[in-house]
Amino acid sequence: MAGQGQGEGRPRRSALQLLVYWGAVLAVWGLIFLVVFFAVFARGLPDTSSLYDVDRQPSITYLDRNGALIATRGTQMAPPADLDALPDYVPAAFIAIEDRRFYNHPGFDPVGMMRAAAANMRAGRVVQGGSTLTQQLAKNLFLTPDQNMRRKVQELMLAVWLEMKFTKKEILALYLNRVYFGAGAYGIEAASQRYFDKSASELTIGEAALLAGLLKAPSRYSPLSESERAATRATVVLNEMEEAGVITAAQREQAVTQPVIVSRTLATQHAQYFIDWLDKSIRGLVGEPTEDIIVETTLDLTLQTAAERSVRRILERDEGRGVEQAALVALDGDGRVRAMIGGASYADSQFNRAVDARRQAGSSWKPFVYLAALEAGYTPQTPVVDEPITIGNWSPRNYSGTFSGPMSLSQAVAQSINTVAASIADQIGRDSVARVARRLGVESRIGLEPAMALGAVEVSPLEMAGAYDAFANGGRRVEPYGVSRIRTPQGRVIYQRSNPETGQAINNPPLYYLNEMLRGVVTSGSGRGAAIAGRDLAGKTGTTSDYKDAWFVGYTGGFVTAVWVGKDDNTAMRGVTGGSSPAAIWRGFMEAALPRLNAPRIPDGPAMPEGWQAPDPVGDLLSNLGDGQGQPVEPVDPSQGQPYVEQDGPPRPQPVPGQPPAVRPNAPQPVQPRQPDQQADGRLAPERRQEPLFY
């Protein structure tokens, strides 16, 4: 009874007391759980003292010869943007699309998290994120992009820490100055300069919306490669800005209708072929960069733009004839690359056809044959005969399918007569031709088979431009290059290009004679499509058999441009010769370039031997071309359905019925043919080699 009385005397807790009691118990256990939970996940948190450290690869900035920006490779940083100096709509654009409740949460947004979770559950996949702007900053500053529970918890913890340590304005400034915008640009200032070539303080509403839209996926929404997708994303940002009251409906409408112009230097994507070419050599010049560097190049962006315009126009015009790709290299007289086009579209293909492609040169190779002949004693007036010949089991033919008989050497050059070039190379020795090409800078493999004389040699446009440069600069060999100087942003010079004397590669009178004959190609021969009134021009067309490759390499005083067109799969175009599409590209580019260059006439080169006199008149020989019977020959584009006298490149072997195994032109020659087993020095070889020879 006593026990019963004691039990009956204990006061019973009220509902409120029970609620408080169990609430306290749960709070204690909850606190213990949170302490343990955060203790576990706090292990391995990064050192927040690295907040202001930037771990990035050094950037390489490329400038053209006048100091204009071409491109920046690697990571680009810029001085932090002052938030107060930015238009109000710039930071507001990022808040509107990334974190509308930025000013009302402690670093994480439970409402946003629940909204994102519900949307993802309805979609059955991740379609919406719940991270706040502060969480994104924490991830960018301290964490890896791994998607797991541990990283998400650490991100939340760091976001709360940031909110406790910094004001909202400071967090927003940190975010805008450290976030990645794609194209190697970190921070709003670097992104503004990279995409729009202006300071972030000058951004328009549309530009701010485009940059804010990039953050979701910088590559996917890049205005460089995905312009339509970037524009759609920017419109979404503008809608959010209007809904948030950041801009008015009228401002949104104006921003939508006003096009956003991406920086000209970035829009000039073809210059990226040039940058790719230099990128391979930078480390060879200065080693692996450990700091930001600035590369001062030889490129002229004005000429580069003219080259792009000319290439694009002719590719569009001649698309129906199967012209799919083109390459162009322009050098000045010292070998500086002033323009380079490596293909029809850098966005579609980064393969640099100006440097890395090797295509048959066709008749653009013949100047090396004729220079070797001139050095062996030929002159422009030397009589030659265009008639059937057979060298071994190979019989070259002309494009016309006919033979013109006796003519001068200058006429054979202008009309690109195949039989004459093949015969001369056979007589002076194809190894002599190879040595001339090597001396002028051709580095590709040179075969010594008979068809080499007609351009059965695979070379790059850069090689051809470099070799022809000696014709344009008075006979000096050059080494094409694109880097003038490398320095740090503070001005410390790391590399300075020296101009070593490369020596005289061509002497006179051969140089004088060759230039006269190649002038005739432009004024009266197969390259008339490249002629520009009032300009001293010379050059050579080239077309391979079956129209797989077409070239025009031409020059004036101290400036040379090589142009190639064709297809990547090496299939035939439809009647495209060196005198058509390549000559048209060359002329379009040079018409724009020559006024800027103020180029002189083609120089005569070194002094002539004592007692030498110019032929009288060489010009008449070039301007009065005939077919051997006193009738003028009119070289025209075969696409017009008229006869055309040029056939470059190695034709298929065609035996000539009734002819002996080897038939040579009957014209007098200044040198004696070498015997089959005779070496270049006149000695007999121990045995005749049957395999192909390469020089």
Side-chain angles (χ1 to χ4, degrees):
M1 295 193 51
Q4 182 180 1
Q6 290 175 352
E8 292 176 352
R10 181 183 298 168
R12 301 183 62 181
R13 293 189 178 96
S14 65
L16 179 61
Q17 289 174 321
L18 288 172
L19 181 63
V20 172
Y21 173 78
W22 288 110
V25 171
L26 290 174
V28 170
W29 281 107
L31 181 61
I32 294 172
F33 172 80
L34 287 175
V35 169
V36 173
F37 181 84
F38 282 106
V40 171
F41 283 97
R43 293 178 61 188
L45 273 176
D47 181 7
T48 56
S49 64
S50 62
L51 175 66
Y52 296 101
D53 297 339
V54 180
D55 183 16
R56 65 183 182 90
Q57 294 295 316
S59 68
I60 305 177
T61 299
Y62 295 89
L63 306 179
D64 89 334
R65 66 192 307 268
N66 299 307
L69 175 66
I70 303 173
T72 300
R73 295 285 176 89
T75 303
Q76 181 181 2
M77 299 289 290
D82 182 0
L83 207 62
D84 292 332
L86 299 177
D88 291 340
Y89 52 75
V90 173
F94 292 86
I95 292 174
I97 193 66
E98 293 293 328
D99 188 1
R100 186 83 67 86
R101 292 167 49 81
F102 172 68
Y103 288 106
N104 301 310
H105 62 63
F108 63 96
D109 184 6
V111 176
M113 289 179 178
M114 289 187 291
R115 182 176 61 246
N120 295 336
M121 289 178 63
R122 286 194 301 268
R125 58 188 177 89
V126 178
V127 295
Q128 192 175 120
S131 296
T132 65
L133 188 148
T134 313
Q135 287 175 272
Q136 294 179 42
L137 177 62
K139 179 180 66 176
N140 290 332
L141 291 178
F142 304 118
L143 300 173
T144 67
D146 297 336
Q147 295 290 338
N148 54 57
M149 178 62 71
R150 183 183 185 84
R151 193 200 63 78
K152 291 298 293 183
V153 172
Q154 290 181 338
E155 177 186 292
L156 188 148
M157 295 170 65
L158 289 168
V160 173
W161 176 81
L162 286 170
E163 291 278 351
M164 295 173 61
K165 184 174 179 62
F166 299 102
T167 66
K168 290 287 186 179
K169 181 178 179 180
E170 290 172 332
I171 291 173
L172 185 58
L174 273 171
Y175 178 81
L176 290 178
N177 285 311
R178 297 295 290 275
V179 73
Y180 181 58
F181 286 89
Y186 284 83
I188 186 73
E189 184 66 29
S192 181
Q193 293 176 6
R194 175 65 66 91
Y195 289 106
F196 308 118
D197 200 20
K198 63 168 67 174
S199 170
S201 62
E202 301 172 348
L203 288 170
T204 65
I205 293 175
E207 292 166 347
L210 189 147
L211 292 181
L214 276 174
L215 298 185
K216 183 176 182 180
S219 298
R220 180 176 174 82
Y221 296 108
S222 170
L224 304 179
S225 57
E226 302 291 344
S227 57
E228 292 185 7
R229 189 176 289 162
T232 301
R233 176 67 176 167
T235 303
V236 172
V237 177
L238 290 171
N239 294 340
E240 294 291 329
M241 293 173 70
E242 181 187 0
E243 185 178 331
V246 175
I247 59 175
T248 65
Q251 288 176 311
R252 178 203 171 278
E253 185 64 25
Q254 182 181 7
V256 169
T257 56
Q258 181 179 354
V260 174
I261 308 295
V262 177
S263 170
R264 180 178 70 89
T265 56
L266 283 177
T268 307
Q269 285 297 294
H270 291 77
Q272 304 303 315
Y273 288 114
F274 174 74
I275 300 303
D276 285 349
W277 175 54
L278 295 188
D279 225 23
K280 299 175 183 178
S281 62
I282 294 299
R283 287 159 184 81
L285 296 175
V286 300
E288 190 67 32
T290 57
E291 58 184 324
D292 292 349
I293 60 175
I294 296 174
V295 180
E296 298 174 2
T297 76
T298 61
L299 196 78
D300 188 321
L301 273 179
T302 301
L303 298 186
Q304 177 71 21
T305 302
E308 293 176 15
R309 187 176 296 117
S310 183
V311 167
R312 183 170 57 250
R313 180 174 63 85
I314 300 305
L315 287 182
E316 291 174 355
R317 188 196 75 177
D318 294 347
E319 181 181 5
R321 299 176 66 184
V323 180
E324 295 180 357
Q325 288 291 348
L328 179 151
V329 177
L331 308 178
D332 67 16
D334 291 321
R336 302 180 187 92
V337 176
R338 302 287 290 275
M340 177 181 286
I341 305 292
S345 170
Y346 185 82
D348 294 339
S349 170
Q350 290 77 55
F351 178 64
N352 191 341
R353 297 155 189 85
V355 176
D356 299 322
R358 296 292 188 275
R359 304 297 292 248
Q360 284 200 5
S363 283
S364 63
W365 181 264
K366 289 178 182 175
F368 308 134
V369 176
Y370 291 118
L371 179 57
L374 293 168
E375 292 178 342
Y378 284 72
T379 72
Q381 300 103 320
T382 298
V384 294
V385 181
D386 174 19
E387 64 180 2
I389 66 168
T390 298
I391 303 173
N393 62 351
W394 178 66
S395 298
R397 61 186 177 88
N398 297 319
Y399 179 82
S400 64
T402 62
F403 303 95
S404 300
M407 61 179 61
S408 68
L409 182 63
S410 62
Q411 182 178 339
V413 173
Q415 298 297 325
S416 201
I417 302 298
N418 281 342
T419 59
V420 172
S423 176
I424 288 177
D426 190 53
Q427 293 174 39
I428 64 174
R430 287 179 290 277
D431 54 347
S432 298
V433 178
R435 281 195 292 269
V436 165
R438 283 277 185 262
R439 192 170 78 227
L440 297 182
V442 175
E443 297 179 350
S444 295
R445 187 181 66 171
I446 303 173
L448 297 183
E449 63 275 4
M452 177 266 272
L454 306 187
V457 179
E458 295 182 345
V459 290
S460 71
L462 182 65
E463 282 181 293
M464 292 298 282
Y468 271 63
D469 212 350
F471 307 155
N473 67 17
R476 293 180 294 105
R477 171 174 173 161
V478 302
E479 187 73 30
Y481 69 96
V483 176
S484 298
R485 188 169 68 156
I486 301 176
R487 58 178 173 85
T488 66
Q490 294 74 34
R492 180 170 59 86
V493 176
I494 304 174
Y495 166 83
Q496 179 74 50
R497 167 81 183 191
S498 60
N499 291 316
E501 287 295 331
T502 53
Q504 194 71 25
I506 313 174
N507 290 308
N508 270 323
L511 176 62
Y512 175 85
Y513 289 148
L514 184 68
N515 282 335
E516 284 296 306
M517 293 193 296
L518 295 185
R519 282 184 175 107
V521 173
V522 175
T523 59
S524 309
S526 59
R528 288 190 303 171
I532 301 174
R535 296 291 183 176
D536 183 26
L537 306 174
K540 187 69 187 74
T541 55
T543 313
T544 58
S545 60
D546 298 327
Y547 305 106
K548 293 179 179 178
D549 300 279
W551 296 73
F552 185 78
V553 189
Y555 56 96
T556 187
F559 196 79
V560 59
T561 301
V563 178
W564 165 88
V565 303
K567 296 182 179 181
D568 284 339
D569 61 6
N570 204 32
T571 56
M573 297 174 286
R574 288 183 281 280
V576 176
T577 67
S580 56
S581 301
I585 291 174
W586 191 92
R587 178 176 178 173
F589 168 63
M590 293 295 283
E591 282 181 329
L594 286 172
R596 179 176 178 84
L597 295 170
N598 194 26
R601 289 179 55 83
I602 299 170
D604 291 335
M608 295 291 181
E610 186 176 353
W612 179 88
Q613 291 184 349
D616 187 24
V618 172
D620 290 342
L621 290 172
L622 302 175
S623 60
N624 295 297
L625 301 176
D627 61 358
Q629 307 298 326
Q631 298 300 319
V633 176
E634 294 294 332
V636 294
D637 191 331
S639 65
Q640 306 302 316
Q642 298 173 329
Y644 191 64
V645 300
E646 175 189 341
Q647 169 60 25
D648 307 330
R652 298 184 183 91
Q654 287 191 342
V656 181
Q659 294 289 354
V663 180
R664 300 289 187 268
N666 297 322
Q669 303 296 343
V671 294
Q672 294 298 319
R674 184 186 309 162
Q675 298 303 315
D677 296 327
Q678 195 172 15
Q679 299 185 111
D681 59 3
R683 296 177 297 171
L684 292 178
E687 59 178 336
R688 188 170 184 178
R689 298 179 63 185
Q690 299 299 321
E691 70 273 17
L693 302 178
F694 295 96
Y695 189 89

